[in-house]
Structure formats: structure tokens, C-alpha cells
Amino acid sequence: MNNDKEQLPLADLQHQYTLLEKEYEYERELYQQQTRQAGILKRVRQGVCWYPVRVNGNRYNSLNQLTVEIEKAEPDDIDSVFEYGRPVCFFMVSAAGVLRYFNFSATISYVQEDKMVVVLPGSAALNELRVGVDLGVQLYFDDYSYKVMFAALREVMEARGNRAAYLRDVLLGKTVTGKHEFYPLRFPWLNRSQEEAVNRVLAAKDVAIVHGPPGTGKTTTLVEAVYETLHRENQVMVCAQSNTAVDWIAEKLVDRGISVLRIGNPTRVNDKMLSFTYERRFEAHPDYPELWNVRKAIRDLQSHIRKGSRSGRDALRERIAKLRVRATELEIKIEEQMFTEARVVACTLVGTANRVLERKHFSTLFIDEAAQALEAACWVAVLHADRVVLAGDHCQLPPTIKCVEAARGGLDRTLIQKVARRKPETVSMLTMQYRMHEDIMGFSSAWFYHHALQAAPEVKYRGILEYDTAVVWMDTSVNGYVEKVTAEGVGRLNKEEAVLLTGQLKAYMEKIGKERILEENIDFGLISPYRAQVQYIRGLIKKDRFFRPFRRLLTVHTVDGFQGQERDVIFISLVRANENGQIGFLNDLRRMNVAITRARMKLIILGDASTLTQHPFYKALYDYIGDRGAIVECEEAGPWNEEEE
């Protein structure tokens, strides 16, 4: 009977393991192909390589790791995929154009714009970089995350008679979830659906889900749930798939007065979060100066150990051993004090495998943006907890899966999806949204959320201009624009549509007025699902002097880059224009849900209706805008005057 009960979860996990192996093998082979076949220029444009680079200063960090700063020698506007924790390798190019890779890899500690800090394996690696000329750096195949996820899946499958085994059977099996009985609390500053969600989190013994559609205050709700949980528990763990998402929730917790210990350096480091990282807290401890001196003494003695006599070397080794004991004592003391003082430990899901979290266990684990996380990554963190709170929206961005076979097999089905389907009683959906005009919200609410969303009164009819239309589709089908594959084969591009977009952006900004935009900080987001289109639009913006005063108010990015963000005005370039109705990447409707829900007051979509409306989703969106907004046929790439329409 018990074996039958466990069969479903175990089979499910084994299936996930197999699919993850396929993704691992596919990604490894893809990396090898890119390294062997792709030229430097192509890899740079793909965002996986910086070339050429300069080597700047170096230092030992608080973990006694040797770090060095790397800087682009020629800054550009290309989005890279470099981020904290990912491995990189270095290469140099000879005068004959031959690439030689250095025989070591490094780990990114920090990256922002054109600079990054990497952790080197030792001083020998630094010496190699210093004498190298015409240097470049590229992403190295990251097998660490896979090793961590594989290990977690094995541990969960092998678990017997412990909390991990119980949570496995609750989350993936038929075991009934438990609840605490208590009188619901009132939170007058929350709306009814948020209040219900917090109470259900507090009542859950095993698992709770906070389903937060766009603009419904998921982060606000989650922060309140963490705050109230800390009235009952001494310490909790808060995780997310990405460093950016961890930073976001961690900042909100800090603003609430909660002591946060951030494990791992944030990708988007700001002064606030930097001071809460493990490394900076470690360095700020009163005992750290002594530890630093001890470590320096060890390094100095090690550099002299080969130069002395045998008896002298023995004496040095004995002294080094004593210093290491003292260093260990200080490290343990500092670390224990840091964890004792922290009410929230925050890190990425894979980051919970960090050595500083070994043997650390938490009563409650909160996973934000759980719909973007692979199930295997969630299990890495779940192994540290007694109960789990999952927050996210499976109707928005899914996990990134590169292997089509693995995606079709179900690797993109997340833990939050599985639990929501099998345990609907654990789900609390937030229904009041505070971001969008009602007409911007309406289509997403109907298509993805069964008409459940309501616009808060303060945003329901909010606009920038009087008698403005909140949603507009600019149909380029009469223009004869045709999409193109980029020369490097890295994406799709529609230059004419990009020119039209920047022209319409300029016209709308002129209509609002320069002074008003700057005075009220009206911001604009330009989105395209295709990176090549994003880069081309950025180039057009950069070249046009008109936009210079508004640079800080203009953001151009992919859909993924806009996750969790919002702007007053959003322009979307859909790019695809062909006779066959092929839309490729646009078939991912969850990504489009993200794109069309970023705007507060104005949404303008540019796209070839004859191509796109062959798909039922875009046909429905086109018809909706026709009913609630405006369809504009663009015959020229010049400015459109809404008043004439």
C-alpha cells in the first residue's frame, strides 16, 4: 500500500531527472558547437562573449578568494547573459588570428554593464592574464547548477521516513495537506484577496501557493506573509530563480525593517543590498580585521616556505597550521553571529547549495517567481525546509528550456503548476490589480485569468492625455515590411518596423510635451521578443538627438528583460511579417502576456496583422483592440496622428 502511494511521486521525479539529463546534454553539445564553429563576432553579438577586454585591479575577498576586475575595452549596447555565479573562460588571439584558451576557468562574482569581477582559481591564473595580450572572455559551460539539481533529485527520490519524503508525497502525490486552525487575521492595508492569501499561508502546515497575476501586488502580499510568519518563527528562507528576483524581494523585506542576510552577490547590485550580502556583512564584523591579518600572514609564510632549510620549513609549517586553526575559529564565530542575527536568509534556489548553508534548516521556505524555476531547482531549496510557500504566475514567463525534446516531455512544467493542479485547495489567487488601465488589463484577464481580474479605482481610467486611447494596434501589413534573419543567424529583425516605432514614439512624446515628460518623469518601455530587434531599436534611439534628454526615461529590452517591470507607456514591436503566417517565438503566449501587461496607461502594438492574426491568440487580441481601442493602418513610417483617426 505504501509502495503504491509513493510510486507516482517517484516516477514523476525520475521522469524529471531523465528530461534534465537531455537538457544537460543538449546545452553541453550546443556550447561545444558554438565554441568550435561560431566566430568571435557572432559570440559577442549573442551576448556570450566579451572581446576585447582589459584586466584591471585584483583583491582577495572576504572568503579569501582571489578576484580580478575585467572591463570591455570597447563598450557597446549588446545585452550579455553574464551573471553572478556563472563560469567563464579566457582566451587570447594571436597576431595570426588564432585563438588560444587559457587552461583554467573562473566564476563571476559581480557584473554590471561593461565591467565584471571574477573569482580566479589562484595567483597563477592572474599571472597568465597579466602577460596575455588581445584578451577575451566567454561563458564556460555551467555544469555546476546541473550537478546540484541532479543531486537534489536523487536525494528527494531516495528520502525515506523524513520531512523531505513527506513533502515529496504532499507536493507530487496524494498525501493530504495539513492546516493549522486559527482565527483569521485582519490586514486593513491589504485588499480582500491579499488578506486571504496571507491567512492561508499562515494556516498551511505543508504548502501554500500565492498566484499573482500582473500588477496584483504579489510582492506586497509575500512580504506581509514573511513578516507575519516571523512573528511565529525565528528565521525563514526566501528564494527565487534569479538573482534579480531575490534582490527585489529582499529589498522590500529590508524596507519593512527585517534583518536580511543575502547569500551570493546580487547581479543588480545597489548600495542597499550590497551591505546585506554575506560577503559585506562578513567584512563588517569586528573580528574580520584580525582574520584578514591571519590570512595574509598565512599567504606570506607560504610564499617563503620553499626558500628556507628543512628545519626552517618545518617551523613555518607548524606556524601556518596554528594560524589556520585561529582563522577557522574566527570564521566560525563570525558566521554563527551573522546567521543568528538574520531573520531572513535570501538566495537563489541553486544558491541554497552554497557551503555556508550546509546543515542549515528552516521552518518555512518562500519561493518567489516559482513559475520561472525548474522543478529540480526548487527541490534544491525544499530540502532545507519543513514547509513551502510558492509564489508566482504560471501564465507569465516559464523556465528557459533549450532542448525541444525536453520541453515537450514536460521539463517546462514547474512545481507550482503541478501542486496547483493536484492541490487546488492550496492556491490563493490575487484579483485586484493596481498597474493598468482597465482596457490594457481586459484582454489578459479574459484570456489567461477567466475574467477574474479587477482594476483598482485609482488606475481603472488613468491616462496621460485627455480622450486618449489606452490600447492601439498599428497594423503594418499594408506597408510590405518583411522580417529578416540577421546576418549572424542569431534572431529576427524588421528594420522598417523599428523605424516606424521610433517615429511613433517621437510623435507621442511631442504630443505629451517635453517639459511635462521631464517634470512628471513619464517613462517609456520599448519591447520586442527578439534580441536583434531590441539592439537595432537601441541604435536608432542612440543616434537620434531628439531622445537624448529622455535617456533615463527610455528602456529598450526583450520580454524577459521586462519581467516584473512596468512603464507608463509601452511600445511592442512583434517583428514577424511573412506570407506563411509563421510566428515562431511568438507562439509562447506566456511571454506575450508579460509584454502586454507592462503598461500603466498606454499600450501600442506594432505588427503585421495579416501574418499574426492567423494565430487565434493574436486574432482575439486584434479584435479586442478593435473593440476597446484603435486599429491604425500604417501606410508610411511617418508619425500617426491619433486625432485624425
Side-chain angles (χ1 to χ4, degrees), residues 333-357:
K333 179 184 176 182
I334 295 171
E335 190 172 295
E336 284 183 350
Q337 193 167 336
M338 287 166 56
F339 276 97
T340 301
E341 293 173 354
R343 301 298 307 281
V344 171
V345 176
C347 60
T348 62
L349 293 165
V350 172
T352 59
N354 192 302
R355 66 165 186 83
V356 302
L357 292 174

PDB file of all heavy atoms in Angstrom, residues 333-357:
ATOM      1  N   LYS A 333      33.085  31.795  14.269  1.00  0.00           N
ATOM      2  CA  LYS A 333      32.493  32.785  15.166  1.00  0.00           C
ATOM      3  C   LYS A 333      31.716  33.845  14.387  1.00  0.00           C
ATOM      4  O   LYS A 333      30.566  34.171  14.712  1.00  0.00           O
ATOM      5  CB  LYS A 333      33.586  33.445  16.009  1.00  0.00           C
ATOM      6  CG  LYS A 333      33.065  34.528  16.964  1.00  0.00           C
ATOM      7  CD  LYS A 333      34.216  35.210  17.699  1.00  0.00           C
ATOM      8  CE  LYS A 333      33.685  36.347  18.577  1.00  0.00           C
ATOM      9  NZ  LYS A 333      34.811  37.060  19.270  1.00  0.00           N
ATOM     10  N   ILE A 334      32.350  34.392  13.342  1.00  0.00           N
ATOM     11  CA  ILE A 334      31.708  35.436  12.533  1.00  0.00           C
ATOM     12  C   ILE A 334      30.454  34.897  11.858  1.00  0.00           C
ATOM     13  O   ILE A 334      29.394  35.528  11.867  1.00  0.00           O
ATOM     14  CB  ILE A 334      32.696  35.989  11.485  1.00  0.00           C
ATOM     15  CG1 ILE A 334      33.859  36.708  12.171  1.00  0.00           C
ATOM     16  CG2 ILE A 334      31.987  36.948  10.534  1.00  0.00           C
ATOM     17  CD1 ILE A 334      34.990  37.095  11.224  1.00  0.00           C
ATOM     18  N   GLU A 335      30.569  33.726  11.271  1.00  0.00           N
ATOM     19  CA  GLU A 335      29.448  33.137  10.532  1.00  0.00           C
ATOM     20  C   GLU A 335      28.265  32.848  11.449  1.00  0.00           C
ATOM     21  O   GLU A 335      27.113  33.139  11.100  1.00  0.00           O
ATOM     22  CB  GLU A 335      29.910  31.855   9.831  1.00  0.00           C
ATOM     23  CG  GLU A 335      28.892  31.292   8.850  1.00  0.00           C
ATOM     24  CD  GLU A 335      29.453  30.148   8.047  1.00  0.00           C
ATOM     25  OE1 GLU A 335      30.388  30.370   7.265  1.00  0.00           O
ATOM     26  OE2 GLU A 335      28.961  29.019   8.222  1.00  0.00           O
ATOM     27  N   GLU A 336      28.532  32.264  12.613  1.00  0.00           N
ATOM     28  CA  GLU A 336      27.453  31.963  13.557  1.00  0.00           C
ATOM     29  C   GLU A 336      26.720  33.219  13.994  1.00  0.00           C
ATOM     30  O   GLU A 336      25.493  33.235  14.089  1.00  0.00           O
ATOM     31  CB  GLU A 336      28.009  31.220  14.774  1.00  0.00           C
ATOM     32  CG  GLU A 336      28.325  29.759  14.514  1.00  0.00           C
ATOM     33  CD  GLU A 336      28.809  29.047  15.770  1.00  0.00           C
ATOM     34  OE1 GLU A 336      29.068  29.749  16.787  1.00  0.00           O
ATOM     35  OE2 GLU A 336      28.924  27.797  15.748  1.00  0.00           O
ATOM     36  N   GLN A 337      27.468  34.275  14.252  1.00  0.00           N
ATOM     37  CA  GLN A 337      26.853  35.530  14.675  1.00  0.00           C
ATOM     38  C   GLN A 337      26.002  36.128  13.552  1.00  0.00           C
ATOM     39  O   GLN A 337      24.908  36.646  13.801  1.00  0.00           O
ATOM     40  CB  GLN A 337      27.925  36.530  15.115  1.00  0.00           C
ATOM     41  CG  GLN A 337      27.346  37.742  15.852  1.00  0.00           C
ATOM     42  CD  GLN A 337      28.418  38.555  16.540  1.00  0.00           C
ATOM     43  OE1 GLN A 337      29.486  38.069  16.874  1.00  0.00           O
ATOM     44  NE2 GLN A 337      28.137  39.837  16.766  1.00  0.00           N
ATOM     45  N   MET A 338      26.478  36.063  12.327  1.00  0.00           N
ATOM     46  CA  MET A 338      25.727  36.581  11.178  1.00  0.00           C
ATOM     47  C   MET A 338      24.395  35.865  11.020  1.00  0.00           C
ATOM     48  O   MET A 338      23.349  36.490  10.822  1.00  0.00           O
ATOM     49  CB  MET A 338      26.556  36.438   9.898  1.00  0.00           C
ATOM     50  CG  MET A 338      27.718  37.411   9.791  1.00  0.00           C
ATOM     51  SD  MET A 338      28.885  36.940   8.498  1.00  0.00           S
ATOM     52  CE  MET A 338      27.854  36.838   7.083  1.00  0.00           C
ATOM     53  N   PHE A 339      24.404  34.544  11.091  1.00  0.00           N
ATOM     54  CA  PHE A 339      23.181  33.770  10.921  1.00  0.00           C
ATOM     55  C   PHE A 339      22.240  33.927  12.115  1.00  0.00           C
ATOM     56  O   PHE A 339      21.023  33.902  11.963  1.00  0.00           O
ATOM     57  CB  PHE A 339      23.494  32.294  10.680  1.00  0.00           C
ATOM     58  CG  PHE A 339      23.807  31.971   9.241  1.00  0.00           C
ATOM     59  CD1 PHE A 339      25.111  31.885   8.808  1.00  0.00           C
ATOM     60  CD2 PHE A 339      22.789  31.775   8.331  1.00  0.00           C
ATOM     61  CE1 PHE A 339      25.409  31.601   7.478  1.00  0.00           C
ATOM     62  CE2 PHE A 339      23.068  31.490   6.994  1.00  0.00           C
ATOM     63  CZ  PHE A 339      24.393  31.401   6.573  1.00  0.00           C
ATOM     64  N   THR A 340      22.793  34.096  13.298  1.00  0.00           N
ATOM     65  CA  THR A 340      21.953  34.292  14.474  1.00  0.00           C
ATOM     66  C   THR A 340      21.168  35.598  14.383  1.00  0.00           C
ATOM     67  O   THR A 340      19.998  35.671  14.764  1.00  0.00           O
ATOM     68  CB  THR A 340      22.809  34.285  15.754  1.00  0.00           C
ATOM     69  OG1 THR A 340      23.503  33.034  15.870  1.00  0.00           O
ATOM     70  CG2 THR A 340      21.949  34.488  16.990  1.00  0.00           C
ATOM     71  N   GLU A 341      21.805  36.643  13.881  1.00  0.00           N
ATOM     72  CA  GLU A 341      21.173  37.958  13.789  1.00  0.00           C
ATOM     73  C   GLU A 341      20.178  38.072  12.642  1.00  0.00           C
ATOM     74  O   GLU A 341      19.268  38.903  12.673  1.00  0.00           O
ATOM     75  CB  GLU A 341      22.242  39.033  13.640  1.00  0.00           C
ATOM     76  CG  GLU A 341      23.118  39.201  14.883  1.00  0.00           C
ATOM     77  CD  GLU A 341      24.264  40.155  14.649  1.00  0.00           C
ATOM     78  OE1 GLU A 341      24.445  40.599  13.478  1.00  0.00           O
ATOM     79  OE2 GLU A 341      24.996  40.471  15.624  1.00  0.00           O
ATOM     80  N   ALA A 342      20.305  37.248  11.603  1.00  0.00           N
ATOM     81  CA  ALA A 342      19.449  37.352  10.423  1.00  0.00           C
ATOM     82  C   ALA A 342      18.091  36.701  10.662  1.00  0.00           C
ATOM     83  O   ALA A 342      18.004  35.567  11.130  1.00  0.00           O
ATOM     84  CB  ALA A 342      20.125  36.705   9.216  1.00  0.00           C
ATOM     85  N   ARG A 343      17.011  37.412  10.327  1.00  0.00           N
ATOM     86  CA  ARG A 343      15.663  36.845  10.390  1.00  0.00           C
ATOM     87  C   ARG A 343      15.281  36.189   9.060  1.00  0.00           C
ATOM     88  O   ARG A 343      14.494  35.268   9.027  1.00  0.00           O
ATOM     89  CB  ARG A 343      14.619  37.922  10.724  1.00  0.00           C
ATOM     90  CG  ARG A 343      14.824  38.656  12.040  1.00  0.00           C
ATOM     91  CD  ARG A 343      14.762  37.719  13.249  1.00  0.00           C
ATOM     92  NE  ARG A 343      13.574  36.910  13.312  1.00  0.00           N
ATOM     93  CZ  ARG A 343      12.361  37.303  13.730  1.00  0.00           C
ATOM     94  NH1 ARG A 343      12.204  38.562  14.133  1.00  0.00           N
ATOM     95  NH2 ARG A 343      11.335  36.484  13.789  1.00  0.00           N
ATOM     96  N   VAL A 344      15.856  36.696   7.962  1.00  0.00           N
ATOM     97  CA  VAL A 344      15.610  36.137   6.633  1.00  0.00           C
ATOM     98  C   VAL A 344      16.943  35.845   5.961  1.00  0.00           C
ATOM     99  O   VAL A 344      17.828  36.696   5.921  1.00  0.00           O
ATOM    100  CB  VAL A 344      14.792  37.106   5.744  1.00  0.00           C
ATOM    101  CG1 VAL A 344      14.746  36.609   4.301  1.00  0.00           C
ATOM    102  CG2 VAL A 344      13.380  37.275   6.272  1.00  0.00           C
ATOM    103  N   VAL A 345      17.091  34.637   5.452  1.00  0.00           N
ATOM    104  CA  VAL A 345      18.236  34.262   4.620  1.00  0.00           C
ATOM    105  C   VAL A 345      17.735  34.200   3.188  1.00  0.00           C
ATOM    106  O   VAL A 345      16.807  33.455   2.875  1.00  0.00           O
ATOM    107  CB  VAL A 345      18.837  32.916   5.055  1.00  0.00           C
ATOM    108  CG1 VAL A 345      19.960  32.506   4.110  1.00  0.00           C
ATOM    109  CG2 VAL A 345      19.349  32.992   6.496  1.00  0.00           C
ATOM    110  N   ALA A 346      18.332  35.006   2.301  1.00  0.00           N
ATOM    111  CA  ALA A 346      17.853  35.135   0.921  1.00  0.00           C
ATOM    112  C   ALA A 346      18.934  34.692  -0.057  1.00  0.00           C
ATOM    113  O   ALA A 346      20.098  35.083   0.072  1.00  0.00           O
ATOM    114  CB  ALA A 346      17.448  36.578   0.630  1.00  0.00           C
ATOM    115  N   CYS A 347      18.550  33.898  -1.050  1.00  0.00           N
ATOM    116  CA  CYS A 347      19.486  33.458  -2.079  1.00  0.00           C
ATOM    117  C   CYS A 347      18.716  32.842  -3.241  1.00  0.00           C
ATOM    118  O   CYS A 347      17.497  32.653  -3.164  1.00  0.00           O
ATOM    119  CB  CYS A 347      20.492  32.443  -1.524  1.00  0.00           C
ATOM    120  SG  CYS A 347      19.740  30.948  -0.865  1.00  0.00           S
ATOM    121  N   THR A 348      19.422  32.530  -4.320  1.00  0.00           N
ATOM    122  CA  THR A 348      18.789  31.824  -5.426  1.00  0.00           C
ATOM    123  C   THR A 348      18.533  30.378  -5.025  1.00  0.00           C
ATOM    124  O   THR A 348      19.088  29.879  -4.038  1.00  0.00           O
ATOM    125  CB  THR A 348      19.666  31.853  -6.687  1.00  0.00           C
ATOM    126  OG1 THR A 348      20.901  31.173  -6.410  1.00  0.00           O
ATOM    127  CG2 THR A 348      19.946  33.281  -7.128  1.00  0.00           C
ATOM    128  N   LEU A 349      17.714  29.695  -5.803  1.00  0.00           N
ATOM    129  CA  LEU A 349      17.379  28.298  -5.493  1.00  0.00           C
ATOM    130  C   LEU A 349      18.621  27.410  -5.521  1.00  0.00           C
ATOM    131  O   LEU A 349      18.881  26.665  -4.571  1.00  0.00           O
ATOM    132  CB  LEU A 349      16.329  27.792  -6.486  1.00  0.00           C
ATOM    133  CG  LEU A 349      14.956  28.448  -6.378  1.00  0.00           C
ATOM    134  CD1 LEU A 349      14.120  28.147  -7.606  1.00  0.00           C
ATOM    135  CD2 LEU A 349      14.238  27.990  -5.110  1.00  0.00           C
ATOM    136  N   VAL A 350      19.386  27.500  -6.591  1.00  0.00           N
ATOM    137  CA  VAL A 350      20.621  26.714  -6.681  1.00  0.00           C
ATOM    138  C   VAL A 350      21.630  27.190  -5.646  1.00  0.00           C
ATOM    139  O   VAL A 350      22.437  26.416  -5.133  1.00  0.00           O
ATOM    140  CB  VAL A 350      21.201  26.779  -8.109  1.00  0.00           C
ATOM    141  CG1 VAL A 350      22.580  26.131  -8.179  1.00  0.00           C
ATOM    142  CG2 VAL A 350      20.256  26.096  -9.096  1.00  0.00           C
ATOM    143  N   GLY A 351      21.548  28.483  -5.296  1.00  0.00           N
ATOM    144  CA  GLY A 351      22.441  29.049  -4.289  1.00  0.00           C
ATOM    145  C   GLY A 351      22.285  28.444  -2.907  1.00  0.00           C
ATOM    146  O   GLY A 351      23.163  28.591  -2.052  1.00  0.00           O
ATOM    147  N   THR A 352      21.156  27.754  -2.652  1.00  0.00           N
ATOM    148  CA  THR A 352      20.976  27.108  -1.353  1.00  0.00           C
ATOM    149  C   THR A 352      21.936  25.938  -1.164  1.00  0.00           C
ATOM    150  O   THR A 352      22.062  25.413  -0.057  1.00  0.00           O
ATOM    151  CB  THR A 352      19.533  26.612  -1.166  1.00  0.00           C
ATOM    152  OG1 THR A 352      19.197  25.678  -2.205  1.00  0.00           O
ATOM    153  CG2 THR A 352      18.551  27.766  -1.210  1.00  0.00           C
ATOM    154  N   ALA A 353      22.617  25.544  -2.239  1.00  0.00           N
ATOM    155  CA  ALA A 353      23.648  24.509  -2.126  1.00  0.00           C
ATOM    156  C   ALA A 353      24.994  25.095  -1.694  1.00  0.00           C
ATOM    157  O   ALA A 353      25.973  24.357  -1.560  1.00  0.00           O
ATOM    158  CB  ALA A 353      23.804  23.775  -3.457  1.00  0.00           C
ATOM    159  N   ASN A 354      25.041  26.414  -1.482  1.00  0.00           N
ATOM    160  CA  ASN A 354      26.257  27.079  -1.030  1.00  0.00           C
ATOM    161  C   ASN A 354      26.776  26.435   0.253  1.00  0.00           C
ATOM    162  O   ASN A 354      26.002  26.039   1.117  1.00  0.00           O
ATOM    163  CB  ASN A 354      25.959  28.566  -0.800  1.00  0.00           C
ATOM    164  CG  ASN A 354      27.212  29.410  -0.613  1.00  0.00           C
ATOM    165  OD1 ASN A 354      28.007  29.171   0.283  1.00  0.00           O
ATOM    166  ND2 ASN A 354      27.359  30.406  -1.476  1.00  0.00           N
ATOM    167  N   ARG A 355      28.084  26.381   0.368  1.00  0.00           N
ATOM    168  CA  ARG A 355      28.693  25.712   1.532  1.00  0.00           C
ATOM    169  C   ARG A 355      28.270  26.346   2.851  1.00  0.00           C
ATOM    170  O   ARG A 355      28.198  25.657   3.869  1.00  0.00           O
ATOM    171  CB  ARG A 355      30.214  25.728   1.419  1.00  0.00           C
ATOM    172  CG  ARG A 355      30.841  27.088   1.495  1.00  0.00           C
ATOM    173  CD  ARG A 355      32.338  27.039   1.735  1.00  0.00           C
ATOM    174  NE  ARG A 355      32.873  28.391   1.954  1.00  0.00           N
ATOM    175  CZ  ARG A 355      32.843  29.012   3.131  1.00  0.00           C
ATOM    176  NH1 ARG A 355      32.280  28.428   4.181  1.00  0.00           N
ATOM    177  NH2 ARG A 355      33.366  30.221   3.258  1.00  0.00           N
ATOM    178  N   VAL A 356      27.989  27.658   2.860  1.00  0.00           N
ATOM    179  CA  VAL A 356      27.628  28.322   4.115  1.00  0.00           C
ATOM    180  C   VAL A 356      26.234  27.911   4.590  1.00  0.00           C
ATOM    181  O   VAL A 356      25.855  28.192   5.737  1.00  0.00           O
ATOM    182  CB  VAL A 356      27.709  29.863   3.991  1.00  0.00           C
ATOM    183  CG1 VAL A 356      29.098  30.305   3.580  1.00  0.00           C
ATOM    184  CG2 VAL A 356      26.666  30.406   3.036  1.00  0.00           C
ATOM    185  N   LEU A 357      25.459  27.257   3.710  1.00  0.00           N
ATOM    186  CA  LEU A 357      24.117  26.809   4.084  1.00  0.00           C
ATOM    187  C   LEU A 357      24.049  25.303   4.350  1.00  0.00           C
ATOM    188  O   LEU A 357      22.967  24.767   4.575  1.00  0.00           O
ATOM    189  CB  LEU A 357      23.099  27.187   2.993  1.00  0.00           C
ATOM    190  CG  LEU A 357      22.844  28.686   2.834  1.00  0.00           C
ATOM    191  CD1 LEU A 357      21.951  28.949   1.632  1.00  0.00           C
ATOM    192  CD2 LEU A 357      22.205  29.266   4.086  1.00  0.00           C
TER     193      LEU A 357
END
